[in-house]
Amino acid sequence: MDTPPVVSPQEWESARQRLLVEEKRLTRARDELAARRRRMPWLPVEKRYEFEGPEGKVSLLDLFQGRRQLVVYRAFFEPGVFGWPDHACRGCSMVADHVGHLAHLNARDTTLVFVSRAPQPDIERVKTRMDWTMPWYTIAGDFDADFGVDEWHGTNAFIREGDRVFRTYFVNNRGDEALGSTWSYLDMTALGRQETWEDSPEGYPQTPPYAWWNWHDEYGDAAEPAPEWVARTRRAE
């Protein structure tokens, strides 16, 4: 194997600092792209879509679970998919394995769900086997065909104003590789991370960074900022 050169600690640190300049440039570029996502036009969803959940039939609006934003990942788990009936497809299973604790997304008024064509008993069985906890629904209508995920996986973002639902963004193919963390999901939504440093349209909900973060078992129904960060924020003001 043709390896890179072996260098001294000083040379290694110098090389790391040069690369860090490029990494920071990439971070800023990602932030700028996320800001453009927050300015994407909204597409009204006029058609009614049905899904099957653990408690029976639900609508697309129901998937929000009362929150303002919704992220829907289409996972391939159904007859004809490699791994059926014991597993979802390998790639979709890797995506599921990367999903972080949903309490942090929920604290930003955002719900994440998976959808597939498999019946609910099969979905619950595989979730238990793989130790997955995200809400996972059965597609009962044309949702997959209408939103570009009937032949390949993909992730759609939605927002609601009352009972009206709008599609705000969509990513598939290698774009799904970056998803899984709270940050990556929020960055693809219309409202973003909802933090004050972000470049968002006027009037978008924003709070100081860190102030809303909490342990995933202490958010409660109405998330409260961690006290130490509230104190720091007030001192800074």
Side-chain angles (χ1 to χ4, degrees):
M1 186 170 67
D2 188 10
T3 65
V6 176
V7 297
S8 68
Q10 294 76 17
E11 290 172 310
W12 186 91
E13 181 60 27
S14 178
R16 190 187 78 86
Q17 289 297 329
R18 289 195 298 272
L19 191 57
L20 185 60
V21 172
E22 299 303 318
E23 290 174 339
K24 288 183 176 180
R25 183 177 293 123
L26 178 60
T27 298
R28 289 191 292 269
R30 284 199 302 265
D31 290 342
E32 291 170 4
L33 182 60
R36 293 174 63 182
R37 290 192 193 106
R38 292 190 288 277
R39 290 167 172 80
M40 275 279 294
W42 294 5
L43 176 67
V45 179
E46 308 290 1
K47 190 173 178 178
R48 292 185 61 85
Y49 294 96
E50 284 194 346
F51 305 83
E52 292 283 346
E55 306 301 324
K57 288 185 182 293
V58 293
S59 67
L60 180 62
L61 184 62
D62 292 328
L63 300 192
F64 283 78
Q65 299 175 8
R67 301 184 182 93
R68 190 171 186 189
Q69 297 194 120
L70 172 68
V71 177
V72 182
Y73 177 72
R74 200 288 201 223
F76 275 86
F77 177 49
E78 59 197 59
V81 172
F82 181 81
W84 174 266
D86 297 321
H87 287 288
C89 92
R90 288 168 171 167
C92 296
S93 296
M94 287 184 68
V95 171
D97 284 337
H98 287 126
V99 173
H101 203 290
L102 297 182
H104 305 295
L105 272 179
N106 297 163
R108 294 279 87 175
D109 213 10
T110 302
T111 297
L112 171 70
V113 305
F114 277 39
V115 297
S116 295
R117 284 280 175 183
Q120 278 298 298
D122 294 298
I123 289 175
E124 291 303 318
R125 172 176 47 78
V126 167
K127 283 178 62 177
T128 299
R129 172 177 181 168
M130 303 298 288
D131 198 28
W132 295 329
T133 59
M134 73 284 288
W136 198 321
Y137 296 88
T138 302
I139 301 169
D142 300 325
F143 176 87
D144 49 359
D146 291 351
F147 288 95
V149 288
D150 54 331
E151 297 181 357
W152 195 245
H153 61 85
T155 309
N156 280 279
F158 301 91
I159 197 169
R160 70 181 181 92
E161 293 285 349
D163 289 341
R164 295 199 68 195
V165 176
F166 303 86
R167 188 190 196 192
T168 60
Y169 200 66
F170 172 65
V171 63
N172 63 359
N173 294 322
R174 290 198 63 193
D176 281 329
E177 291 179 1
L179 298 178
S181 73
T182 299
W183 311 124
S184 61
Y185 282 123
L186 289 176
D187 282 346
M188 71 168 291
T189 65
L191 301 182
R193 302 185 187 191
Q194 302 164 55
E195 294 182 341
T196 49
W197 63 271
E198 288 181 304
D199 175 12
S200 293
E202 184 70 26
Y204 272 40
Q206 290 185 320
T207 57
Y210 304 102
W212 66 272
W213 301 7
N214 212 338
W215 297 283
H216 72 248
D217 61 346
E218 293 200 10
Y219 278 114
D221 293 332
E224 295 183 359
E228 66 270 23
W229 288 108
V230 172
R232 291 187 192 183
T233 301
R234 288 174 178 166
R235 285 199 297 270
E237 292 173 350

